[in-house]
Amino acid sequence: MENLISLVNKLQRACTALGDHGEESALPTLWDSLPAIAVVGGQSSGKSSVLESIVGKDFLPRGSGIVTRRPLVLQLHKIDEGREYAEFLHLPRRKFTDFAAVRKEISDETDRETGRSKQISSVPIHLSIFSPNVVNLTMIDLPGLTKVAVEGQPDSIVQDIENMVRSFIEKPNCIILAISPANQDLATSDAIKISREVDPKGERTFGVLTKIDLMDKGTDAVDILEGKSYRLQFPWIGVVNRSQADINKSVDMIAARRREREYFANTPEYKHLAHRMGSEHLGKMLSKHLEQVIKSRIPGIQSLINKSIAELESELQRLGKPIAADSGGKLYAIMEICRIFDQIYKEHLDGVRPGGEKVYNVFDNQLPAALKRLQFDKHLSMENVRKLITEADGYQPHLIAPEQGYRRLIESCLVSIRGPAEAAVDAVHAILKELVHKAINETMELKQYPTLKVEVGNAAFDSLDRMRDESKKATLKLVDMECSYLTVDFFRKLPQDIEKGGNPTHSIFDRYNDSYLRRIGTTVLSYVNMVCATLRNSIPKSVVYCQVREAKRSLLDHFFTELGKKEAKQLSSLLDEDLAVMERRTALAKRLELYRSAQAEIDAVAWAK
């Protein structure tokens, strides 16, 4: 069973080293789940003397006012033989054999954290004592409860101390060691008052009565020690502290323990209780109870650890890998992130992810609707047809048919198709840019690096702009081709109506009557509609070839080329991860290491049982 206390000792030290000491934190906390004994008492209640009696050494700072200003995690390790020594977690390679130096180091380390302002801090000091005269035990010595602030302390110190004490003892895994002096009314005991508030049934509270030998003559503490005055689930334990004279004379602690035993054995009022009185019995009883509590909590701690490991691994995966130190590693990391982005972008275009269908909508709906909206009837109004046909004759009328007039009418109609063609290019361009935004936001790795995110976005937009320009040139060429060469077969296949212009012997003025002009307009409109039908199919092909296909094939090619020219410093600037994310990943990684270590330690002890 001793392995269980040693196990919790290891876990507590690891927690403290990683900054996990039960404070409010966005990180999972193992500290709160570990059973611990918190020592609570008012100033001058004899709290320090009780701890020193259990340890058998003078090692705690003494003085007036609030001496304990940080929690002291005191871990006792029983050794079979050898000289007693102490170790601090913050000084891992130094062994203290002089316990006066231990007292000084506690004071100095307190000042390092709080300054000399007499403020308090919840960051614990970890002290391990190895001795043949102790039992395996861990206790947390908390600042003494007080009712007034002394000079140099803020008025809030009274409430601050109470809040700190309460934050430790209100946790269900905390065993409360409530220290009360016997020469004061128990009803005014600070330790009992606060313990009753957080543990009203007394299921986690051990009552310790100090200064029994200092009670007024004719009075005793029998009713309290027998549980009649104030009942707890566990029997009260009385202790006799060393007197101030003994402390001043540095009376040996082992001798003090012997005198304590003799006091209870020889005092008639307490003789029947002597077997469960004294600091030695207190230490053994607390050690045994702590072992039992730890054993009962092991399954819950294992469950918490397993759950926390899964949560930490999941968040670390979400935050991504840390930045490589060398330029080659940085370049590889950037390329990998860009490939992930590129793949997500392709998935949008290919329909694996939504958004690509909007491109088809441009070809299937927007382009045909735009072509239909072209007002060819204005171009082919009677007035416009007569004007262009007449102008095409020049000074000498055509002998057979007004070919030049036909060409001008057709060209004036076809030129207007450039507008819908350009609009189709721009519409697809806007969709491709929108998909870049989507792909960037869906690339979790880019969220890690704000500068790289901006650079990749800018590079993608620049590429899309170049592709749009090329697409616009190619698409408008298709329209221009239709303008520059008319399909002769279309006109050759038209029925030749002699009455309506096929006969060259007709007067030129007869040929330009309204009926003839309407025929020309209808013929031109038929040809233009045929060209529109052709372009309705060829424009999407041009746009897909020049924009969509190229976006899938070479969206970041130019960026990769420029990337290869960058120096290490420039690559580092691209991977300027948010400081908060870096700190979060580091903290998570350390916390995960703690939990994995704890998991291995607990599993080893649990399976051994």
Side-chain angles (χ1 to χ4, degrees), residues 580-593:
V581 174
M582 292 176 68
E583 291 173 349
R584 176 75 176 171
R585 186 193 298 105
T586 301
L588 287 171
K590 288 181 178 179
R591 195 61 57 99
L592 180 59
E593 183 183 350

Side-chain angles (χ1 to χ4, degrees), residues 289-353:
H289 183 73
L290 182 59
E291 288 170 352
Q292 292 171 345
V293 171
I294 293 171
K295 187 176 182 181
S296 69
R297 297 287 194 276
I298 287 291
I301 295 173
Q302 286 177 305
S303 176
L304 170 73
I305 287 173
N306 293 336
K307 179 185 175 187
S308 299
I309 286 175
E311 290 174 354
L312 290 165
E313 287 176 338
S314 174
E315 187 171 357
L316 275 171
Q317 187 175 6
R318 183 182 64 79
L319 290 177
K321 297 177 182 177
I323 303 169
D326 60 298
S327 57
K330 287 182 171 64
L331 180 61
Y332 177 80
I334 294 171
M335 296 284 283
E336 279 299 298
I337 293 170
C338 290
R339 287 191 190 102
I340 293 169
F341 157 76
D342 202 39
Q343 182 58 36
I344 291 173
Y345 188 69
K346 288 175 182 175
E347 288 175 2
H348 277 292
L349 290 173
D350 291 336
V352 179
R353 297 171 187 253

Side-chain angles (χ1 to χ4, degrees), residues 376 410 413-414 417 523-533:
F376 294 131
I410 291 171
C413 290
L414 293 184
I417 299 176
T523 303
V524 170
L525 182 61
S526 297
Y527 183 79
V528 169
N529 285 338
M530 182 193 75
V531 172
C532 282

Side-chain angles (χ1 to χ4, degrees), residues 404-446:
Q404 193 66 24
Y406 267 104
R407 289 186 180 277
R408 289 185 182 181
L409 282 171
I410 291 171
E411 286 173 7
S412 70
C413 290
L414 293 184
V415 166
S416 65
I417 299 176
R418 290 173 66 96
E422 283 191 275
V425 171
D426 290 335
V428 170
H429 178 69
I431 292 167
L432 295 178
K433 285 184 72 173
E434 179 189 338
L435 294 182
V436 167
H437 281 297
K438 279 190 175 183
I440 284 176
N441 290 332
E442 291 170 17
T443 306
M444 304 305 294
E445 292 78 1
L446 281 175

